Amino acid sequence: MSADDVTAAFADGPALVPYVVAGDPSADATERYVEALVDGGADVIELGLPFSEPIADGPTIQEGIRRALDAGMTPERYLDLVRDLDVDVPVVCMTYYNLLLQYGEGDEVETFVEAAADAGVSGLIVPDLPVEESAELEAACEAHDVALIFIVAPTTTAERVERILGRASGFVYVQARMGTTGARTDVSEDTYESLERLPEGDLPYAVGFGVSEREHARAIVEGGADGVVAGSVFVDIVAEAESVEAAAAALREKAAELTAGIADATPGGAPEPETTK
Amino acid sequence: MSRRETAADAETNAGASAGKFGRYGGQYVPEVLMPAVEELTDAYERYVLENEDGFVDDFRERLRDFGGRPTPLGRADNLSERYGIDVYLKREDLLHGGAHKLNNALGQVLLAKYMGKERIIAETGAGQHGTATAMAAAYLDMPCEIYMGRTDINRQRPNVFRMRTHGAEVNPVTVGSGTLKEATNEAMRDWATTVENTHYVIGSVVGPHPFPTMVREFQSVISEEAREQAREQLGGLPAAVIACAGGGSNTMGAFHEFVGDEDVDLYAVEAGGSGLGVEESENYAPNSASLGTGSVGVLHGAKTKLLQTVEGQIVESHSVSAGLDYAGVGPELAHLVDEGRVTPVNVGDDAALAAFHRLSREEGIIPALESSHAIAYLEAYEGDGPVIVNVSGRGDKDLDTVIEESEKRDLDEAPDMEVFRA
Ligand SMILES: Cc1ncc(COP(=O)(O)O)c(C=O)c1O
């Protein structure tokens, strides 16, 4: 799959983009989990490649990363895992910049991008790489037809939004609130403000950070988003399940719940929910 | 403010990466923090470089009246005799709080105040930077929270009490090895949540631009004074300046004004710990010698030299001195090493402990274990005198560790403590 396939995944209505950490608790389990998420309605899979210093992640995903590293996940095994996946949705790799730099000989990032593209990775999200530092990675992504997905935060100024949109491909990840990743119980006011100030563009806007319930997904799509990203809620399920099978079932169910939330908000997609509050 | 400016000073073209030292430095931070580092860069340029609202004068006055600057440059007569060269000590241990850390903490807390920020956070390893920040925050009346690893809390208890005494909250960080690396991660996460009203006081010349440049700027008062004092007391420049290097803030502070003096050799002394190299399978390095033995990578906002596995996972480092126990190092220092201007050397745990005792016994000065690494390098130093060694801090905080570690090793240099045993 290619960079355009990532964008295309949003074409048939708002998309669900779930995140799990590769190798948490094992590569085999992750394969099952990705399939389960796709069964539950995932349109794009965001697969975390674990780094030892995840500064953009909250406690839940930090723990998932810790479990994956302890279980031996490496960039090489990650790419093997992606290669073995049997799903027909694009896979986006979320990781930190140092792992891209160290892959292969010398400190450049193209070796990783080429290997990732070859393994079937369609896009990259690198949360510690702002646009100012992204020229090298952008060139590599262009050369190997991999989408480079940037994050827009509540603090991002209008000038920076322009700069980011000028460099982004695949989709734009709209960070719904301040801070790090982590499931919350409400949808932030920031979410609506973030969406309102984003210009109409060619790329879909997917909103994440804190999404855990059907109601959140509905509210985000009603707020104008083209997609919903959810991570910590899935990583929590993985952490708490008694077995791989139980986790897979719960992941599928949660993905289906969020898909239903998206449908709730889509005109003609589902009957209006009969809440009166 | 200082005599020398470098490439990373004051060049921030919109859209281009900022704060590069050769191939090092930059701003590798989450987007949510980018507007904050841009705002800070702007404030740094206006207040610190251009003295807007008299910031620099205010800072200098407070360094004198609150901090006790200038610190002396004193000849170490007994060490001079021992090594056959003139050895001078720059006494940052005499700065208020007992370490060079206050130069930076006071500068940043004051800057935060000028910027209208309402809250201060900081990470700390040894607790020296946390203590200096807590002191400055109390003095300037700002609420303050310090992130500190669990392991470090256990080995630096007196500093935890000092921070609490100054009214700071101390937040224990339990993940990973519970040291400086994890505390820094957690402080960055706090900042990503609270950036609109909070300033993050980074404790060394590390992190995204403008921190490495700004912290060096606040610390360069060390070499500004030392260079002047050398002219007066030595009648000229020293042959060498020696400073320990963790993140490298006392190092850059002690070197900065001498960088243009080509005849002055600069030695950055890292923690050799209990051995060099990285134990890949253990994700562990028994040392903290990133500058001399690390490889290029990105950590905590900057491209620099790191201790990491071949795959790029950052390893747990080691040093008997908590303040040097860090897997990264300042990007400007990494660049000066690449340029051949700074020579990285290292000193192991044993030699540092021996130097701790030597300075205490022979000069009547108890150095911090960090600074003991710089003192210890005199044993290996083969160049000419006079040399200036930066005593970055005093060692009262380390006494428990030193007693325990000296006994373990049955060190000849250590005093006999038998009489105190119950
Ligand atoms: C006394 C002293 N010296 C040196 C250091 C190391 O820091 P840096 O390398 O930034 O000077 C510390 C850090 O805590 C310290 O307390």
Side-chain angles (χ1 to χ4, degrees), chain A residues 119-144:
Chain A
V121 169
S122 304
L124 278 173
I125 304 178
V126 189
D128 62 344
L129 191 75
V131 277
E132 283 75 2
E133 305 288 354
S134 70
E136 186 189 340
L137 185 59
E138 195 189 345
C141 283
E142 225 161 87
H144 298 282

Side-chain angles (χ1 to χ4, degrees), chain B residues 245-246 270-273 275-276 285-291 293 307 317-319 321 324-328:
Chain B
E270 296 193 281
L276 296 181
N287 62 80
S288 304
S290 43
L291 195 57
T293 69
L307 296 175
S317 53
H318 163 79
S319 169
S321 128
L324 300 184
D325 192 347
Y326 181 59

Side-chain angles (χ1 to χ4, degrees), chain A residues 52-53 98 133 155 160, chain B residues 20 27 38 181 308 313:
Chain A
S52 58
E53 318 301 320
N98 197 48
E133 305 288 354
T155 48
R160 294 191 59 79
Chain B
K20 297 283 183 187
Q27 294 176 310
E38 287 177 348
K181 178 162 69 71
Q308 57 186 332
Q313 308 296 355

Side-chain angles (χ1 to χ4, degrees), chain A residues 50-55 57 62 69 74 98-99 102 107 127-128 130 132-133 151 153 155-156 160 163 178-179, chain B residues 17 20 23 26-32 34-35 38 181 185 189 192-193 195 296-298 308 311-314:
Chain A
F51 175 52
S52 58
E53 318 301 320
I55 55 168
D57 286 300
Q62 284 175 49
L69 288 175
T74 65
N98 197 48
L99 294 191
Q102 305 312 323
D107 32 272
D128 62 344
E132 283 75 2
E133 305 288 354
I151 295 171
T155 48
T156 306
R160 294 191 59 79
R163 221 180 277 167
M178 300 295 290
Chain B
S17 66
K20 297 283 183 187
R23 60 178 170 155
Q27 294 176 310
Y28 296 86
V29 292
E31 172 60 25
V32 68
M34 278 306 293
E38 287 177 348
K181 178 162 69 71
N185 290 345
R189 293 184 186 114
T193 314
V195 63
V296 180
V298 167
Q308 57 186 332
E311 279 149 6
Q313 308 296 355
I314 312 303

